[in-house]
Amino acid sequence: MTVEVIAASGSGCAPGTASVVSNGDDTGFRVRYRDFVAEAGDGAALIDRRKNCQLGVLVSIPDGWTIAIASANYRGKASLRSGATALQRTSYYWQGSSATQRKDAAFAGPLNGLWTTWDVAPVLTYAECGSQSVLNVNTELRIDPGTSTGLSTMSMNATEGDVDTLFNFSLSHC
């Protein structure tokens, strides 16, 4: 099984700043971002409060098999001042399917350090058997400065250590 970014757009992933890496054991893949930061407060522009990244990930599925996204683990870094709040939202779906999985996670300051959330699919939605399918992944970071003073940030940058999004597959015979 192979995975490849074939499209990337949005304020959180300029061309060339998002990549996917297969786990190597056909259990899933990681999405790594290099410039995905939302910020609010002192010195931040209003437009920087919300960042998003829409990825098209081409997944090549071996003959006789199909896959579904069984779970996803999101990791990032935050520096939220007291009074600030943040939201991390991800939705994903197979191209041509009407079934969309969505995960929202809310955070409140003060928070300084790594964050992680976990999403387990309530229903497995399988891609077409033995094909190349496009998984669309839309991730968003938002910050509301609220009553805080100073600058608050939330990111999903791989350059910050153990920060990425891990998608785990469920494999099934066709």
Side-chain angles (χ1 to χ4, degrees), residues 19-82:
S19 62
V20 293
V21 179
S22 175
N23 283 0
D25 60 1
D26 291 340
T27 61
F29 66 93
R30 295 179 183 281
V31 177
R32 295 195 171 128
Y33 304 97
R34 286 197 321 264
D35 191 26
F36 199 168
V37 182
E39 57 185 18
D42 289 354
L46 187 59
I47 196 166
D48 292 332
R49 290 183 182 185
R50 178 187 177 273
K51 296 290 180 166
N52 79 300
C53 181
Q54 173 78 34
L55 294 177
V57 179
L58 180 65
V59 181
S60 297
I61 306 164
D63 287 338
W65 291 92
T66 183
I67 61 172
I69 301 299
S71 63
N73 177 248
Y74 312 97
R75 296 181 291 210
K77 189 173 183 182
S79 177
L80 299 178
R81 308 285 240 169
S82 182

Side-chain angles (χ1 to χ4, degrees), residues 54-128:
Q54 173 78 34
L55 294 177
V57 179
L58 180 65
V59 181
S60 297
I61 306 164
D63 287 338
W65 291 92
T66 183
I67 61 172
I69 301 299
S71 63
N73 177 248
Y74 312 97
R75 296 181 291 210
K77 189 173 183 182
S79 177
L80 299 178
R81 308 285 240 169
S82 182
T85 58
L87 172 77
Q88 180 267 322
R89 170 178 288 159
T90 301
S91 59
Y92 47 94
Y93 60 92
W94 294 106
Q95 185 173 341
S97 172
S98 62
T100 299
Q101 303 294 329
R102 185 171 124 179
K103 170 70 175 181
D104 286 358
F107 302 86
L111 172 63
N112 192 22
L114 296 176
W115 57 265
T116 186
T117 63
W118 189 258
D119 176 24
V120 177
V123 176
L124 295 177
T125 303
Y126 286 92
E128 190 175 320

